[in-house]
Amino acid sequence: VGQDEPPARLGLGCCVLVLLLLLLGGSGSPGTPPRPPRPRAEGQGPAGEGAPRGRARYEGYEAVKKQVGAVGALSKQYWQYLACKVWQEGCEEEKEEQREPGPSPGWSLPLVGQDYLEILSAWYCSFGKCCETGDCRIVNNITGLEADLSEQLHGQHLAKEVVVRAVQGFLQSPQPEKALVLSFHGWSGTGKNFVARMVASHLYRDGLRSDCVRVFISLLHFPHHKYLDSYKAQLQRQLRETLQLCRQPLFIFDEAEKLHSSLLDAIRPFMASYGNGGQTDRQRAIFLFISNLGGNTINEVALDFWRAGRAREEISMEFLEQRLRLELQEPAENSYAHSHLLRENLIDFLVPFLPLEFHHVKLCARDAFLARGLPYSEATLDEVARMMVFVPKEEKLFSAQGCKSVPQRINYFLP
């Protein structure tokens, strides 16, 4: 909230104060029920026999005035407490002033009131930025991530298990030795970008729009090799700024195989060992690299298992990752495969994405119909899947584009 929005603060403050006063017992002291009227003696008049009416009115006026003053003092105290929880500028000065001895309003801030204010300030922060960093918008919903991957990511038993375990273990580690680095590999349309978006949406309330998330696309952000020096300086500056802003940033590099070696060298220091254990809390960074490299090797392994009559779920991570590393280390012109990321073991997990089969494409088509609220039938799903190209020519087992163009295919079935 900026300094140019006092009406919003005032309106929120009034609503909060009214709610607190109702919750904490009305006009009496917090948690104290209202005092019942004193019973009148028999034969006594409205003000009691012999009691001067003027004096009774004066005493009543003074009592109400004192009570209203106490309510106002408590309301100010509540408002200052809430304002410091939500808008932190100027709070240090207020705390110094409160340390000086002075007349007390007579009511201290009760524990129940603090509980209400904690809830209200947390609720307010869930709708807007209430702190100088993006950390207050971190949610780290690993349970939701695991559930959504199981329900919406099709045909990728290895990616589901590796991503959830790696992210969960990293976030639960009290002192990680380095940043978490995951490298996604496989054909286009197998779910690599989908998983990256899902990780962002479950770790941060704002998903990819979070200030703690930075997405870099090689051909979009670094298109010209003659500007590599400028790209390198800009990239390092953006990484440093995000690390200063957030204790848990997420960096996504799409089309990683097209990154120039100098840019990979610029990223390397941010993924290396922290060295100083005292800095781990400020540098709990996650790097996701998305690449089509290794897709052929992954597909060959899946095809060999199918020809041997074995289920794709029998493919183990150890076997496939070993084959994938061997391919990436073979002589090639690709700078990503021969960067220091692999040679220095900076990549923690090579995450393989298997090619999708006919029934996986049908599940993607079902999700696309449901996302748009359109009716569908099994025959419709079959027809959408048959519109895709399948390889190899003999078996026609794997979708050449995965599920990438499925949402566009269902446009043919619109009324």
Side-chain angles (χ1 to χ4, degrees), residues 335-348:
S335 58
Y336 180 77
H338 293 278
S339 66
H340 293 281
L341 306 186
L342 286 174
R343 290 202 300 266
E344 298 180 8
N345 296 318
L346 295 178
I347 297 177
D348 298 297

Side-chain angles (χ1 to χ4, degrees), residues 5-53:
E5 301 181 55
R9 292 191 183 187
L10 185 59
L12 175 63
C14 294
C15 296
V16 170
L17 292 176
V18 171
L19 176 61
L20 287 171
L21 291 175
L22 290 175
L23 291 172
L24 297 176
S27 61
S29 62
T32 305
R35 183 178 297 175
R38 184 177 299 174
R40 297 178 183 175
E42 288 185 10
Q44 202 171 16
E49 245 179 66
R53 289 192 178 184

Side-chain angles (χ1 to χ4, degrees), residues 2-152:
Q3 295 182 355
D4 57 342
E5 301 181 55
R9 292 191 183 187
L10 185 59
L12 175 63
C14 294
C15 296
V16 170
L17 292 176
V18 171
L19 176 61
L20 287 171
L21 291 175
L22 290 175
L23 291 172
L24 297 176
S27 61
S29 62
T32 305
R35 183 178 297 175
R38 184 177 299 174
R40 297 178 183 175
E42 288 185 10
Q44 202 171 16
E49 245 179 66
R53 289 192 178 184
R55 180 173 182 148
R57 288 180 180 177
Y58 176 77
E59 290 179 352
Y61 170 77
E62 288 296 325
V64 171
K65 181 179 178 182
K66 183 177 180 181
Q67 199 172 33
V68 169
V71 170
L74 180 63
S75 301
K76 181 180 179 181
Q77 191 176 359
Y78 275 127
W79 170 243
Q80 290 176 347
Y81 181 83
L82 177 63
C84 285
K85 293 293 293 182
V86 178
W87 305 284
Q88 302 192 0
E89 62 270 13
C91 288
E92 296 298 327
E93 299 175 0
E94 293 180 2
K95 289 179 182 178
E96 292 295 333
E97 293 177 359
Q98 291 176 0
R99 289 176 188 170
E100 299 178 0
S104 171
W107 286 349
S108 61
L109 194 64
L111 179 61
V112 65
Q114 292 181 5
D115 291 340
Y116 283 129
L117 288 169
E118 291 287 353
I119 295 172
L120 288 168
S121 61
W123 171 80
Y124 176 81
C125 288
S126 68
F127 289 94
K129 295 180 181 178
C130 60
C131 56
E132 295 179 358
T133 70
D135 295 339
C136 60
R137 308 285 290 175
I138 296 175
V139 293
N140 289 343
N141 182 12
I142 301 300
T143 302
L145 174 63
E146 184 176 11
D148 283 350
L149 286 178
S150 299
E151 182 179 350
Q152 301 178 35

Side-chain angles (χ1 to χ4, degrees), residues 247-310:
R247 60 177 173 82
Q248 181 191 300
L250 173 63
F251 302 108
I252 301 174
F253 291 87
D254 197 4
E255 299 176 343
E257 72 276 7
K258 299 180 177 65
L259 283 171
H260 194 271
S261 57
S262 63
L263 297 177
L264 292 171
D265 290 338
I267 302 169
R268 183 182 55 170
F270 298 93
M271 296 184 294
S273 177
Y274 294 135
N276 184 2
Q279 297 179 356
T280 54
D281 290 339
R282 290 299 304 172
Q283 296 180 350
R284 194 181 290 264
I286 301 175
F287 288 81
L288 300 183
F289 292 93
I290 300 173
S291 171
N292 292 334
L293 290 176
N296 292 334
T297 295
I298 296 171
N299 295 353
E300 288 174 4
V301 171
L303 185 59
D304 291 341
F305 268 71
W306 181 82
R307 287 172 175 170
R310 303 174 63 182

Side-chain angles (χ1 to χ4, degrees), residues 208-375:
L208 293 177
R209 298 188 303 275
S210 172
D211 293 335
C212 296
V213 179
R214 299 302 300 265
V215 180
F216 301 95
I217 304 174
S218 298
L219 295 182
L220 176 63
H221 295 96
F222 319 110
H224 305 293
H225 285 181
K226 61 181 179 180
Y227 300 126
L228 282 175
D229 290 339
S230 176
Y231 293 154
K232 181 177 179 178
Q234 292 177 10
L235 178 59
Q236 290 182 327
R237 176 179 55 80
Q238 291 172 349
L239 294 179
R240 282 194 297 267
E241 290 176 352
T242 308
L243 282 166
Q244 292 173 358
L245 178 67
C246 301
R247 60 177 173 82
Q248 181 191 300
L250 173 63
F251 302 108
I252 301 174
F253 291 87
D254 197 4
E255 299 176 343
E257 72 276 7
K258 299 180 177 65
L259 283 171
H260 194 271
S261 57
S262 63
L263 297 177
L264 292 171
D265 290 338
I267 302 169
R268 183 182 55 170
F270 298 93
M271 296 184 294
S273 177
Y274 294 135
N276 184 2
Q279 297 179 356
T280 54
D281 290 339
R282 290 299 304 172
Q283 296 180 350
R284 194 181 290 264
I286 301 175
F287 288 81
L288 300 183
F289 292 93
I290 300 173
S291 171
N292 292 334
L293 290 176
N296 292 334
T297 295
I298 296 171
N299 295 353
E300 288 174 4
V301 171
L303 185 59
D304 291 341
F305 268 71
W306 181 82
R307 287 172 175 170
R310 303 174 63 182
R312 61 192 282 139
E313 286 73 21
E314 296 182 37
I315 302 175
S316 67
M317 183 64 189
E318 293 76 14
F319 176 73
L320 191 49
E321 185 178 18
Q322 183 179 7
R323 293 280 300 270
L324 189 55
R325 285 187 180 274
L326 289 175
E327 180 187 345
L328 295 179
Q329 292 172 359
E330 290 178 357
E333 296 181 358
N334 185 272
S335 58
Y336 180 77
H338 293 278
S339 66
H340 293 281
L341 306 186
L342 286 174
R343 290 202 300 266
E344 298 180 8
N345 296 318
L346 295 178
I347 297 177
D348 298 297
F349 296 95
L350 297 176
V351 184
F353 283 74
L354 301 173
L356 300 182
E357 300 176 9
F358 188 86
H359 63 283
H360 300 134
V361 177
K362 286 181 60 177
L363 293 174
C364 293
R366 180 204 63 185
D367 294 344
F369 277 106
L370 291 175
R372 298 176 63 172
L374 299 173

